[in-house]
Amino acid sequence: NFGGWGAFDPEAGEMAGGHLPLTRRTMLPDLIDLFAPWFFIRSFAFLITCVEIAMFLISMYVGHVYFDGAFVKNNDMGGPSEETLVSMGAVSTPLIKNQFQFWRLFTPLFLHAGVLHIASNLLFFSQCAYTFERRWGRYAVALIFFLSGIAGNMLSAVGNPDMTAVGASGALAGLLGADLVYIYLNWNFIPARESRVELCVVTMIILLNVMIGGSKGNIDNLAHLGGLVEGGICGFSLVKILVPDQEPNRDAYRRGGIIGTLALYALFFITLYAFPSS
């Protein structure tokens, strides 16, 4: 039941206990299945995709009309300038800390540095978000997305105070963190081969991001790390336990996720203001 946000396909192969595999079990998947498994229009994932694309087009328009162009030479991602992104709400530690523009921890989730940036983010997002939304529900995925994205931007603001940061990568990392928790909580309820394959896939994606991030100086690795950690923490409160009657610690997990999230956010503000501005 998805609350009227799309009908479940009974031929898709939902497994015992309500677990949904990452991809459809079909011999000849169509293009939608290749790029967006379990796609359905009336979903949070599709809404966010549309908003991300719209905001990118707006940022290009703002760059073209008010700044130095929609595409600037020193942006190897293929997009507007840093000044354009800052004007639209990019992470800027001095503005967050000294002018209390805390909304800059939220708005970067809808901004991207260029065509390559948004294309890679949305491709990855489409590969997993619809599956997670069918598993856990739209509200759980939305909360994980925003809480993780903001947490990633918080760590970026503290750890990279001179960097201007945009993108939903922290939120995407948070979805992976939540999926690791989902696998852990349901290890005994998911068919063994399915759980092991998914664990390997998610782990390889995380390691690949670490390797790519370590080789390029313009990738905000702290945002990825913050999102991954917060996704795992809030995942204990938000992901679905397939057989809740057989998990005696389910209430403790839920409370732990809430307490952990509050503690992480509090730690950010303490750290942000514990040290004098440079």
Coordinates of all heavy atoms in Angstrom, one line a residue, residues 187-238:
W187 N 18.4 -9.1 8.2 CA 19.3 -10.2 7.6 C 18.7 -11.6 7.7 O 18.9 -12.4 6.8 CB 20.6 -10.1 8.4 CG 21.7 -11.0 7.9 CD1 22.1 -12.3 8.3 CD2 22.6 -10.7 6.7 NE1 23.1 -12.8 7.5 CE2 23.4 -11.8 6.5 CE3 22.7 -9.6 5.9 CZ2 24.4 -11.9 5.5 CZ3 23.6 -9.6 4.9 CH2 24.5 -10.8 4.7
N188 N 18.0 -11.9 8.8 CA 17.4 -13.2 8.9 C 16.1 -13.3 8.2 O 15.5 -14.5 8.1 CB 17.2 -13.5 10.4 CG 18.5 -13.6 11.1 OD1 19.5 -14.1 10.6 ND2 18.5 -13.1 12.4
F189 N 15.6 -12.2 7.6 CA 14.3 -12.3 7.0 C 14.3 -12.2 5.5 O 13.4 -12.4 4.8 CB 13.3 -11.2 7.5 CG 13.3 -11.1 9.0 CD1 13.5 -9.9 9.7 CD2 13.2 -12.2 9.8 CE1 13.4 -9.8 11.1 CE2 13.2 -12.2 11.2 CZ 13.3 -11.0 11.8
I190 N 15.5 -11.7 5.0 CA 15.7 -11.6 3.5 C 16.4 -12.9 3.0 O 17.3 -13.4 3.7 CB 16.6 -10.4 3.2 CG1 15.9 -9.1 3.7 CG2 16.8 -10.3 1.7 CD1 16.8 -7.9 3.6
P191 N 16.0 -13.4 1.9 CA 16.7 -14.6 1.4 C 18.2 -14.4 1.3 O 18.7 -13.3 0.9 CB 16.1 -14.8 0.0 CG 14.7 -14.2 0.1 CD 14.8 -13.1 1.1
A192 N 19.0 -15.4 1.7 CA 20.4 -15.3 1.9 C 21.1 -14.7 0.7 O 21.9 -13.8 0.9 CB 21.0 -16.6 2.3
R193 N 20.8 -15.2 -0.4 CA 21.5 -14.7 -1.6 C 21.2 -13.3 -1.9 O 22.1 -12.5 -2.2 CB 21.1 -15.6 -2.8 CG 21.9 -15.2 -4.1 CD 21.4 -16.0 -5.3 NE 22.1 -15.6 -6.5 CZ 21.7 -14.7 -7.3 NH1 20.7 -13.9 -7.0 NH2 22.4 -14.4 -8.4
E194 N 20.0 -12.9 -1.7 CA 19.6 -11.5 -2.0 C 20.2 -10.5 -1.0 O 20.7 -9.5 -1.5 CB 18.0 -11.4 -1.8 CG 17.5 -10.0 -2.1 CD 17.5 -9.7 -3.6 OE1 17.6 -10.6 -4.4 OE2 17.5 -8.5 -3.9
S195 N 20.3 -10.9 0.2 CA 20.9 -10.0 1.2 C 22.4 -9.8 1.0 O 23.0 -8.7 1.1 CB 20.7 -10.5 2.6 OG 21.2 -11.8 2.8
R196 N 23.1 -10.9 0.6 CA 24.5 -10.8 0.4 C 24.9 -10.1 -0.9 O 25.8 -9.3 -0.9 CB 25.1 -12.3 0.3 CG 25.1 -13.0 1.6 CD 25.4 -14.4 1.5 NE 25.3 -15.1 2.8 CZ 25.1 -16.4 2.9 NH1 24.9 -17.2 1.9 NH2 25.0 -17.0 4.1
V197 N 24.1 -10.3 -1.9 CA 24.3 -9.5 -3.2 C 24.1 -8.1 -2.9 O 24.9 -7.2 -3.4 CB 23.4 -10.1 -4.3 CG1 23.4 -9.1 -5.5 CG2 23.8 -11.5 -4.7
E198 N 23.0 -7.7 -2.3 CA 22.7 -6.3 -2.0 C 23.8 -5.6 -1.1 O 24.2 -4.5 -1.4 CB 21.4 -6.1 -1.5 CG 21.0 -4.6 -1.3 CD 19.5 -4.4 -1.1 OE1 18.7 -5.3 -1.5 OE2 19.1 -3.3 -0.7
L199 N 24.2 -6.4 -0.1 CA 25.3 -5.8 0.7 C 26.6 -5.6 -0.1 O 27.2 -4.5 0.1 CB 25.6 -6.8 1.9 CG 26.7 -6.4 2.8 CD1 26.4 -5.1 3.6 CD2 26.9 -7.6 3.9
C200 N 26.9 -6.5 -0.9 CA 28.1 -6.3 -1.8 C 28.0 -5.1 -2.7 O 28.9 -4.3 -2.9 CB 28.4 -7.6 -2.6 SG 29.0 -9.0 -1.6
V201 N 26.8 -5.0 -3.3 CA 26.5 -3.9 -4.3 C 26.6 -2.5 -3.5 O 27.3 -1.6 -4.0 CB 25.1 -4.0 -4.9 CG1 24.8 -2.7 -5.7 CG2 25.1 -5.2 -5.9
V202 N 26.0 -2.4 -2.4 CA 26.0 -1.1 -1.7 C 27.4 -0.8 -1.2 O 27.9 0.3 -1.3 CB 25.0 -1.2 -0.5 CG1 25.1 0.1 0.4 CG2 23.6 -1.3 -1.0
T203 N 28.1 -1.8 -0.7 CA 29.5 -1.6 -0.2 C 30.4 -1.2 -1.3 O 31.2 -0.3 -1.2 CB 30.0 -2.9 0.5 OG1 29.2 -3.3 1.5 CG2 31.4 -2.7 1.0
M204 N 30.3 -1.8 -2.5 CA 31.1 -1.4 -3.6 C 30.8 0.0 -4.1 O 31.7 0.7 -4.5 CB 30.9 -2.4 -4.8 CG 31.4 -3.8 -4.6 SD 33.2 -3.7 -4.3 CE 33.8 -3.1 -5.9
I205 N 29.5 0.4 -4.1 CA 29.2 1.8 -4.4 C 29.9 2.8 -3.5 O 30.4 3.8 -3.9 CB 27.7 2.0 -4.5 CG1 27.0 1.2 -5.6 CG2 27.3 3.5 -4.6 CD1 25.5 1.2 -5.6
I206 N 29.8 2.5 -2.2 CA 30.4 3.4 -1.2 C 31.9 3.4 -1.4 O 32.5 4.5 -1.4 CB 30.1 2.9 0.2 CG1 28.6 3.0 0.5 CG2 30.9 3.7 1.3 CD1 28.1 2.4 1.8
L207 N 32.6 2.3 -1.6 CA 34.0 2.3 -1.8 C 34.4 3.0 -3.1 O 35.4 3.7 -3.2 CB 34.5 0.8 -1.9 CG 34.4 0.0 -0.5 CD1 34.9 -1.4 -0.7 CD2 35.3 0.7 0.5
L208 N 33.6 2.8 -4.1 CA 33.9 3.5 -5.4 C 33.8 5.0 -5.2 O 34.6 5.8 -5.8 CB 32.9 3.0 -6.5 CG 33.0 3.6 -7.9 CD1 34.4 3.3 -8.5 CD2 31.9 3.2 -8.8
N209 N 32.8 5.5 -4.5 CA 32.7 6.9 -4.2 C 33.9 7.4 -3.4 O 34.4 8.5 -3.6 CB 31.4 7.2 -3.4 CG 30.2 7.4 -4.4 OD1 30.0 8.5 -4.9 ND2 29.5 6.3 -4.6
V210 N 34.4 6.6 -2.5 CA 35.6 7.0 -1.7 C 36.8 7.1 -2.6 O 37.5 8.1 -2.5 CB 35.8 6.0 -0.6 CG1 37.2 6.3 0.1 CG2 34.7 6.0 0.5
M211 N 36.9 6.2 -3.5 CA 38.1 6.2 -4.4 C 38.0 7.4 -5.4 O 39.0 8.1 -5.6 CB 38.1 4.9 -5.2 CG 38.4 3.7 -4.4 SD 38.3 2.1 -5.3 CE 39.5 2.4 -6.7
I212 N 36.8 7.7 -5.9 CA 36.7 8.8 -6.8 C 36.9 10.1 -6.0 O 37.5 11.0 -6.5 CB 35.3 8.8 -7.5 CG1 35.2 7.6 -8.4 CG2 35.0 10.1 -8.3 CD1 33.8 7.4 -9.0
G213 N 36.3 10.2 -4.9 CA 36.5 11.4 -4.1 C 37.9 11.7 -3.7 O 38.3 12.8 -3.6
G214 N 38.7 10.6 -3.4 CA 40.1 10.8 -3.1 C 40.9 11.2 -4.2 O 42.0 11.7 -4.0
S215 N 40.5 11.0 -5.4 CA 41.3 11.3 -6.6 C 40.9 12.7 -7.2 O 41.6 13.2 -8.1 CB 41.1 10.3 -7.7 OG 39.7 10.3 -8.2
K216 N 39.9 13.3 -6.7 CA 39.4 14.6 -7.3 C 39.3 15.6 -6.1 O 38.6 15.3 -5.1 CB 38.1 14.5 -8.1 CG 38.3 13.7 -9.3 CD 37.0 13.6 -10.1 CE 37.1 12.8 -11.4 NZ 38.0 13.5 -12.3
G217 N 39.8 16.8 -6.3 CA 39.8 17.8 -5.3 C 38.5 18.6 -5.2 O 38.3 19.3 -4.2
N218 N 37.6 18.5 -6.2 CA 36.4 19.3 -6.2 C 35.2 18.5 -5.7 O 34.1 18.9 -5.8 CB 36.1 19.9 -7.6 CG 35.9 18.8 -8.6 OD1 36.2 17.6 -8.4 ND2 35.4 19.1 -9.8
I219 N 35.4 17.3 -5.1 CA 34.4 16.5 -4.6 C 34.3 16.6 -3.1 O 35.4 16.5 -2.4 CB 34.5 15.0 -5.0 CG1 34.4 14.9 -6.5 CG2 33.5 14.1 -4.3 CD1 34.5 13.5 -7.0
D220 N 33.2 16.9 -2.5 CA 33.0 17.2 -1.1 C 32.8 15.8 -0.4 O 31.7 15.4 -0.1 CB 31.8 18.1 -0.9 CG 31.8 18.6 0.5 OD1 32.6 18.2 1.4 OD2 30.9 19.5 0.8
N221 N 33.9 15.2 0.0 CA 33.9 13.9 0.7 C 33.2 14.0 2.0 O 32.6 13.0 2.5 CB 35.3 13.3 0.8 CG 35.9 13.0 -0.6 OD1 35.3 12.2 -1.3 ND2 37.0 13.6 -0.9
L222 N 33.4 15.1 2.7 CA 32.8 15.2 4.1 C 31.3 15.2 4.0 O 30.6 14.7 4.9 CB 33.3 16.5 4.7 CG 34.8 16.5 5.2 CD1 35.1 17.8 5.9 CD2 35.0 15.3 6.2
A223 N 30.7 15.8 2.9 CA 29.3 15.8 2.8 C 28.8 14.4 2.6 O 27.8 13.9 3.1 CB 28.9 16.7 1.6
H224 N 29.6 13.6 1.8 CA 29.2 12.2 1.6 C 29.3 11.4 3.0 O 28.4 10.6 3.3 CB 30.2 11.5 0.6 CG 30.1 12.1 -0.7 ND1 31.0 11.7 -1.8 CD2 29.3 13.0 -1.3 CE1 30.7 12.4 -2.8 NE2 29.7 13.2 -2.6
L225 N 30.3 11.7 3.7 CA 30.5 11.0 5.0 C 29.4 11.4 6.0 O 28.8 10.5 6.6 CB 31.9 11.3 5.6 CG 32.2 10.8 7.0 CD1 32.1 9.2 7.0 CD2 33.5 11.2 7.5
G226 N 29.1 12.6 6.1 CA 28.1 13.1 7.0 C 26.7 12.5 6.6 O 25.9 12.1 7.5
G227 N 26.4 12.5 5.3 CA 25.2 11.9 4.9 C 25.1 10.4 5.1 O 24.0 9.9 5.6
L228 N 26.2 9.7 4.9 CA 26.2 8.3 5.1 C 26.0 7.9 6.6 O 25.2 7.0 6.9 CB 27.6 7.7 4.7 CG 27.8 6.2 4.8 CD1 26.9 5.4 3.8 CD2 29.2 5.8 4.6
V229 N 26.6 8.6 7.5 CA 26.5 8.4 8.9 C 25.1 8.7 9.4 O 24.4 7.9 10.1 CB 27.5 9.2 9.7 CG1 27.2 9.1 11.2 CG2 28.9 8.7 9.4
E230 N 24.5 9.9 9.0 CA 23.2 10.2 9.4 C 22.2 9.3 8.8 O 21.2 8.9 9.5 CB 22.9 11.7 9.0 CG 21.4 12.1 9.2 CD 20.9 11.9 10.6 OE1 21.7 11.7 11.6 OE2 19.7 11.8 10.8
G231 N 22.4 8.9 7.6 CA 21.5 7.9 7.0 C 21.4 6.6 7.8 O 20.3 6.0 8.0
G232 N 22.6 6.2 8.2 CA 22.6 5.0 9.0 C 21.9 5.2 10.4 O 21.1 4.3 10.9
I233 N 22.1 6.3 11.0 CA 21.5 6.6 12.3 C 20.0 6.7 12.2 O 19.3 6.0 12.9 CB 22.1 7.9 12.9 CG1 23.6 7.8 13.2 CG2 21.3 8.4 14.1 CD1 24.2 9.0 13.7
C234 N 19.5 7.6 11.3 CA 18.0 7.7 11.2 C 17.4 6.5 10.6 O 16.2 6.3 10.8 CB 17.7 9.0 10.5 SG 18.1 9.0 8.7
G235 N 18.2 5.7 9.9 CA 17.6 4.5 9.3 C 17.1 3.5 10.4 O 16.1 2.8 10.1
F236 N 17.7 3.5 11.5 CA 17.2 2.7 12.6 C 15.8 3.1 13.0 O 15.0 2.2 13.5 CB 18.1 2.7 13.8 CG 19.3 1.9 13.7 CD1 20.6 2.4 13.4 CD2 19.3 0.5 13.9 CE1 21.7 1.6 13.2 CE2 20.4 -0.3 13.8 CZ 21.6 0.3 13.5
S237 N 15.4 4.3 12.8 CA 14.1 4.8 13.1 C 13.1 4.6 12.0 O 11.9 4.6 12.2 CB 14.1 6.2 13.6 OG 14.8 6.4 14.8
L238 N 13.6 4.6 10.7 CA 12.7 4.8 9.6 C 12.6 3.6 8.6 O 11.6 3.5 8.0 CB 13.2 6.1 8.8 CG 13.1 7.4 9.6 CD1 13.8 8.5 8.8 CD2 11.7 7.8 9.8

